[in-house]
Amino acid sequence: MSGFPEFIYRNNELFVESVPLEQIAAEFGTPCYVYSRSALTRAYQEFDSAFADRDHLICYAVKANANLAILNLFARLGSGFDIVSGGELLRVIKAGGNPQKTVFSGVGKNTEEMRMALEANILCFNVESEAELIALNQIAKDMSKIAPVSLRVNPDVDAKTHPYISTGLKENKFGMPISEAERIYQSARLYPHVRFTGLDCHIGSQLTEIEPFMQAIEKILNLLNNLKSRGLEIEHLDFGGGLGIRYAHETPPSIKNYVSTLCASTNDIKQRLLIEPGRSLVGNAGILLTRIEYLKHTPVRNFAIVDAAMNDLMRPALYDAYHEILPVNKHDRETQNYQIVGPVCETGDFLGHDRKLSLTTGNLLAIMSAGAYGMSMSSNYNTRPRAAEVMIDKGTVHIIRQRETIDQLFATERVLP
Ligand code: LLP
């Protein structure tokens, strides 16, 4: 057992669904991201069915993995989207997603992005500051439009996750204090080109406990009540994303438990519920496939130098994140303690530390749980073209992003005359 339902060993060889990873590497080369359509679909349907007949909208957080094929798949399943840039909006539209099921988050939306989103009639702007609200009101006025708005409140709860991905503490740059949101909702008349339709929060990412979500919900419901008592009606509540996945030994709440908790805690209200999951929809539906270039044994450490690097998967270097690393071909030879590293010229360029593996040059490794914040955070550092991406659909391998070429990297650069 690999522990990942779509990535399974058969006779000691790792497959994705019914396809050997060895075959994918031979056909498309490495490094290569490999996704399972059935894993993506299953995760979406788990969310959707857990809401049962509760009025809801799942807005997939595009930043987790923005490939058009993945967005298109979620759009076909009925998903909405959570975007954080004009580029992401254009991706949603290009992929056949519905702007009217799209919410726009982020602390720094610029004029052009707000215009594009108003033009596209998105569902809601998740506004993070009074300054942003003033700007949006003006832009909507210039366009003779009314902008639908949720204020993103910062509920000041500890998400108990990595500090870089914790967003709901009062010292974080995200959202606004509840008291400020309450004041702004009440001064709605100052913003005639804005309509307050929702109330929003997002407290962080890779949460492995339900408690912080419940604390945030309680604070949001309090605010909702206060607004109601002043005659302000809100149409939807947006609880953001953040549900964690299992990378190693974490035991996050299941999708079903998480959604059930949201529904049960909001049983008494009629508002539509929105969520913005990213990682929990795509994280364990994808891997990064890489080949061992060299084994290097020094007096103090063993290194496996692979052809994927921190530019392909930045999470280990950036957050010291753990990703399970599985050999594509398992055998019984003696294991050694390896540092799995890439070719990039940084000591931080590692994919895994101290892994007990039995390795041979030329063999393939699967870096697990790489579907979220893998390709979407990749870069061209060291002039490395970005990896290919493929998706498996019922035994057929589809290329969903060609491997980048060096020519593409040079295309926008010019030397002085
Ligand atoms: N909504 C908002 C407003 C967000 O900022 C995020 C993620 C999400 C939804 C989706 O959160 P998720 O369900 O994926 O936890 N690069 C980091 C994660 C950064 C998350 C940023 N915001 C990582 O690799 O762990």
Side-chain angles (χ1 to χ4, degrees):
M1 267 307 284
S2 67
F4 304 94
E6 278 75 16
F7 298 90
I8 33 173
Y9 282 106
R10 295 185 183 173
N11 297 327
N12 289 330
E13 187 181 348
L14 194 57
F15 281 58
V16 48
E17 301 180 19
S18 58
V19 182
L21 287 170
E22 194 77 60
Q23 180 194 316
I24 294 174
E27 194 170 340
F28 300 98
T30 51
C32 180
Y33 277 96
V34 180
Y35 310 108
S36 153
R37 177 177 184 172
S38 95
L40 294 162
T41 305
R42 182 165 40 77
Y44 181 85
Q45 286 173 344
E46 267 175 52
F47 271 105
D48 202 37
S49 59
F51 277 103
D53 50 10
R54 182 73 190 251
D55 186 14
H56 69 279
L57 182 64
I58 299 163
C59 294
Y60 167 61
V62 173
K63 64 169 86 72
N65 190 323
N67 187 291
L68 294 176
I70 289 184
L71 302 184
N72 172 261
L73 188 68
F74 287 135
R76 285 201 251 171
L77 290 167
S79 187
F81 297 93
D82 167 50
I83 57 166
V84 289
S85 70
E88 286 191 351
L89 174 59
L90 293 177
R91 274 190 178 274
V92 166
I93 294 169
K94 177 100 180 158
N98 185 349
Q100 280 147 45
K101 288 184 178 177
T102 298
V103 298
F104 194 167
S105 302
V107 294
K109 306 170 192 78
N110 65 33
T111 307
E112 190 46 37
E113 290 174 324
M114 287 178 177
R115 274 209 197 99
M116 275 166 63
L118 280 167
E119 202 62 62
N121 289 323
I122 64 161
L123 176 64
C124 193
F125 290 83
N126 291 341
V127 167
E128 304 218 14
S129 65
E130 193 168 18
E132 182 191 332
L133 187 65
I134 293 168
L136 179 60
N137 183 62
Q138 184 59 46
I139 294 164
K141 181 174 180 217
D142 296 344
M143 295 173 69
S144 308
K145 291 239 179 200
I146 304 287
V149 163
S150 267
L151 294 183
R152 173 167 173 184
V153 303
N154 182 330
D156 193 24
V157 299
D158 185 357
K160 300 195 191 124
T161 182
H162 190 288
Y164 286 9
I165 52 176
S166 183
T167 50
L169 282 172
K170 61 178 181 301
E171 56 266 38
N172 298 137
K173 71 175 172 181
F174 299 98
M176 57 181 76
I178 291 195
S179 54
E180 186 179 335
E182 195 165 341
R183 173 177 64 73
I184 295 177
Y185 277 115
Q186 286 175 61
S187 54
R189 70 198 145 67
L190 298 178
Y191 310 100
H193 286 271
V194 157
R195 196 164 74 85
F196 289 113
T197 57
L199 188 46
D200 168 52
C201 76
H202 167 80
I203 56 175
S205 198
Q206 184 53 17
L207 272 71
T208 52
E209 292 170 31
I210 202 82
E211 193 54 37
F213 289 115
M214 292 175 71
Q215 287 171 17
I217 294 173
E218 199 184 313
K219 294 194 175 186
I220 295 282
L221 289 180
N222 253 333
L223 173 55
L224 183 76
N225 245 332
N226 288 349
L227 296 179
K228 193 173 174 201
S229 64
R230 295 194 168 86
L232 283 155
E233 284 296 337
I234 297 292
E235 293 159 25
H236 73 252
L237 298 184
D238 181 341
F239 293 120
L243 179 63
I245 61 168
R246 198 184 74 84
Y247 285 97
H249 305 295
E250 303 92 336
T251 50
S254 67
I255 290 174
K256 188 163 190 276
N257 279 347
Y258 164 75
V259 172
S260 305
T261 303
L262 296 187
C263 291
S265 328
T266 53
N267 222 355
D268 300 337
I269 58 160
K270 58 176 190 333
Q271 274 79 8
R272 183 183 208 200
L273 299 185
L274 266 60
I275 51 168
E276 305 165 356
R279 189 188 320 262
S280 49
L281 280 171
V282 293
N284 275 331
I287 63 150
L288 174 58
L289 187 60
T290 183
R291 197 177 286 283
I292 303 170
E293 301 271 22
Y294 301 104
L295 296 178
K296 176 170 170 175
H297 304 278
T298 75
V300 286
R301 289 180 126 186
N302 301 313
F303 294 96
I305 300 160
V306 299
D307 62 6
M310 64 186 285
N311 74 296
D312 300 301
L313 180 65
M314 200 185 186
R315 304 191 70 258
L318 192 58
Y319 314 115
D320 205 12
Y322 180 95
H323 285 256
E324 189 137 0
I325 300 181
L326 298 177
V328 169
N329 289 288
K330 262 202 300 200
H331 40 67
D332 300 331
R333 287 197 297 269
E334 208 183 312
T335 60
Q336 282 184 292
N337 190 32
Y338 277 102
Q339 314 302 319
I340 314 294
V341 301
V344 161
C345 303
E346 300 244 6
T347 302
D349 179 27
F350 73 96
L351 298 169
H353 280 144
D354 297 318
R355 304 304 171 89
K356 311 257 174 314
L357 292 163
S358 161
L359 301 180
T360 309
T361 303
N363 279 5
L364 293 168
L365 295 176
I367 320 286
M368 307 307 289
S369 313
Y373 306 108
M375 189 64 185
S376 65
M377 289 171 72
S378 67
S379 79
N380 294 120
Y381 189 38
N382 280 203
T383 305
R384 289 170 50 85
R386 275 173 300 173
E389 290 178 294
V390 301
M391 193 179 315
I392 313 314
D393 181 21
K394 298 192 199 79
T396 304
V397 185
H398 298 271
I399 179 106
I400 60 169
R401 185 197 298 254
Q402 305 275 358
R403 183 176 307 286
E404 212 166 19
T405 65
I406 297 284
D407 278 347
Q408 287 171 328
L409 298 188
F410 294 168
T412 54
E413 298 180 33
R414 298 287 178 271
V415 297
L416 300 187

